[in-house]
Amino acid sequence: MAPNNAERTYIMVKPDGVQRGLVGNIIARFESRGFKLIALKLVHATPEHLELHYADLKGKPFFPGLIKYMASGPVVAMVWEGLDAVKTGRSMLGATNPLASAPGTIRGDFALAVGRNICHGSDSVENAEKEIKLWFPEGVVQYEHNQAAWIFE
Ligand code: DAT
Ligand code: MG
């Protein structure tokens, strides 16, 4: 299969990441890796919206606490595009539990507790497309990325 240089992933700085002043650092990592920013907004999500985002986890014992935490303040919602954006985004994020996140990853550098792991990233291309629709019903921004010729073969 031809490489998909236009794969998209949904990345979100969680309320603790915003409060701790990590928004710029997280954006800088995706920018400098070579990804193209195609949507971004600061949003204080409702519990109902977050329940849709985390619908797969409904029924887990930590679900009510997760929704409360995610609704406790604004998040930075973003869409990043590039080669293998979903898998590479996950590897940049690190493991769900920061105890297992390698140093050098976002969670491995900035988080200690699974319930305060500062950043979300889509786990599959299918879920990325669903999450992008949920958070950006208005659509993403189309523009030419002038660095592309220096990032892709
Ligand atoms: P990820 O965010 O790595 O995709 P996930 O989708 O399984 O992980 O879970 C979503 C979030 O829910 C996760 O970032 C933190 C929280 N969470 C997951 N497992 C948890 C647990 N055992 N205790 C508390 N919070 C948990
Ligand atoms: Mg997940």
Side-chain angles (χ1 to χ4, degrees):
M1 216 169 78
N4 179 7
N5 294 344
E7 188 171 296
R8 308 185 308 172
T9 190
Y10 175 67
I11 300 292
M12 169 168 59
V13 184
K14 298 182 178 183
D16 48 339
V18 174
Q19 291 290 342
R20 291 178 57 198
L22 296 172
V23 173
N25 184 295
I26 291 170
I27 290 175
R29 289 173 183 236
F30 283 89
E31 270 188 324
S32 53
R33 187 75 190 251
F35 290 111
K36 175 184 174 185
L37 181 64
I38 57 170
L40 176 144
K41 65 184 170 190
L42 181 71
V43 42
H44 196 152
T46 62
E48 293 72 28
H49 185 87
L50 292 158
E51 283 179 16
L52 293 174
H53 174 78
Y54 281 127
D56 293 353
L57 297 173
K58 207 163 183 160
K60 299 270 185 197
F62 58 83
F63 188 77
L66 173 64
I67 300 301
K68 198 171 166 207
Y69 149 60
M70 290 297 298
S72 67
V75 299
V76 175
M78 299 178 270
V79 182
W80 290 92
E81 183 183 284
L83 181 62
D84 293 321
V86 169
K87 275 194 185 152
T88 301
R90 290 293 291 192
S91 79
M92 289 167 70
L93 219 59
T96 302
N97 190 339
L99 178 66
S101 306
T105 65
I106 293 165
R107 289 165 173 171
D109 285 349
F110 300 125
L112 291 173
V114 67
R116 295 292 182 273
N117 64 6
I118 71 164
C119 193
H120 166 84
S122 308
D123 63 5
S124 68
V125 172
E126 192 193 349
N127 283 339
E129 291 303 320
K130 273 193 215 159
E131 292 169 358
I132 292 166
K133 275 204 193 86
L134 177 66
W135 289 90
F136 293 97
E138 68 276 29
V140 299
V141 179
Q142 309 290 345
Y143 65 101
E144 188 128 342
H145 196 214
N146 288 317
Q147 290 181 5
W150 300 100
I151 293 168
F152 303 114
E153 297 182 59

